[in-house]
Amino acid sequence: MLIVKPGANDASDLEPTDEQLPAIDAEEIEPRFRAVAGRGGERRGIRLERIYWDGLGRMSASGKMSTADLVHYTASQMPESGNLASLLRVLSLKWALCRLDTVEDISSLANVNAIIQASPSPAILLTHEKKVQLFNDAFLSMLRQRLPLGDLAQLTKSLRFSIDTQIEEAIATLSRNKGKTLATGFTITVGTQSMKGQINLALAPTHEKSMLIGYISRY
């Protein structure tokens, strides 16, 4: 069924699930000691949990420097009363959160909508629950040309959209084959009228939940 605007989440949607919260191994919370040597030969012994060492490693790689240089630069900026291990933990998490903010902004529903609207061919955003979350003007024009439609309110109540491939299977296939698309058939039904065609599916660049962008190639 075509859905223009998602409904509000109920209370159960706010409860964390196993998929939302990562599992933590005992090794991950055990601090690991490393002796870090800077360019000048100065050595510092640091104890941090593995996740923070991983974060510092990714941060230093992004800045094209060694982890040792990053540690020693951070130490040079630390006030005399500061704790270097604590400062490195905060630095690692803050960097990760900044990166997360950037990614979430890029993969926002507003940006996905812009991608769909920019397509000259009929395009939709299909949710894991088999609902059309968004569509562009070309999609609406296609419907009006091929099917007897009333106003938009009537459209949202009576139109049904389905694809020949199970949506769970489509998402799983595209998740395994990064950068690939999947061609399949589709059917649109309005009352007793229906139309069929071909649609090209791709994983939507969203972080909220798994969704598919569909570009209709033939109808």
Side-chain angles (χ1 to χ4, degrees):
M1 183 175 180
L2 183 68
I3 302 296
V4 177
K5 185 177 180 181
N9 293 331
D10 58 27
S12 62
D13 293 332
L14 302 179
E15 296 178 0
T17 65
D18 290 342
E19 294 180 354
Q20 294 171 324
L21 298 177
I24 300 176
D25 297 330
E27 292 182 357
E28 293 181 302
I29 60 176
E30 183 68 27
R32 297 186 175 190
F33 177 84
R34 289 189 186 180
V36 180
R39 292 180 181 176
E42 184 180 4
R43 296 175 65 85
R44 285 186 172 87
I46 308 293
R47 290 177 65 86
L48 294 173
E49 292 76 10
R50 186 177 70 188
I51 193 169
Y52 293 112
W53 283 121
D54 291 344
L56 293 174
R58 296 184 65 170
M59 191 190 319
S60 59
S62 176
K64 302 187 185 307
M65 66 177 71
S66 68
T67 301
D69 287 340
L70 177 61
V71 169
H72 283 270
Y73 174 78
T74 304
S76 70
Q77 307 299 310
M78 183 180 64
E80 293 183 4
S81 59
N83 182 290
L84 181 57
S86 296
L87 184 58
L88 289 171
R89 288 186 180 93
V90 171
L91 183 65
S92 177
L93 179 58
K94 186 173 183 178
W95 181 84
L97 291 176
C98 287
R99 292 291 290 265
L100 179 61
D101 287 343
T102 300
V103 170
E104 288 189 347
D105 182 60
I106 293 172
S107 62
S108 67
L109 200 58
N111 279 338
V112 173
N113 182 49
I115 293 172
I116 292 173
Q117 298 305 325
S119 172
S121 63
I124 61 170
L125 180 66
L126 191 62
T127 72
H128 191 277
E129 296 78 23
K130 306 175 184 178
K131 298 177 182 178
V132 176
Q133 180 94 8
L134 299 168
F135 57 88
N136 63 1
D137 290 340
F139 180 82
L140 188 58
S141 296
M142 176 195 71
L143 295 181
R144 285 174 171 159
Q145 289 173 7
R146 298 293 300 273
L147 297 172
L149 301 176
D151 57 21
L152 187 60
Q154 177 186 354
L155 172 66
T156 60
K157 293 179 180 179
S158 60
L159 189 144
R160 295 182 178 277
F161 185 95
S162 63
I163 58 176
D164 294 350
T165 305
Q166 289 290 333
I167 193 164
E168 295 86 356
E169 179 184 341
I171 291 175
T173 298
L174 292 170
S175 296
R176 290 193 305 267
N177 300 282
K178 302 296 184 183
K180 303 294 185 179
T181 60
L182 176 66
T184 189
F186 74 86
T187 302
I188 298 176
T189 304
V190 178
T192 60
Q193 303 293 317
S194 65
M195 63 175 288
K196 295 179 178 291
Q198 291 290 313
I199 188 170
N200 295 324
L201 302 173
L203 284 178
T206 60
H207 64 272
E208 289 131 344
K209 56 184 177 179
S210 298
M211 291 188 276
L212 298 171
I213 293 180
Y215 298 97
I216 293 177
S217 57
R218 190 172 76 247
Y219 59 91

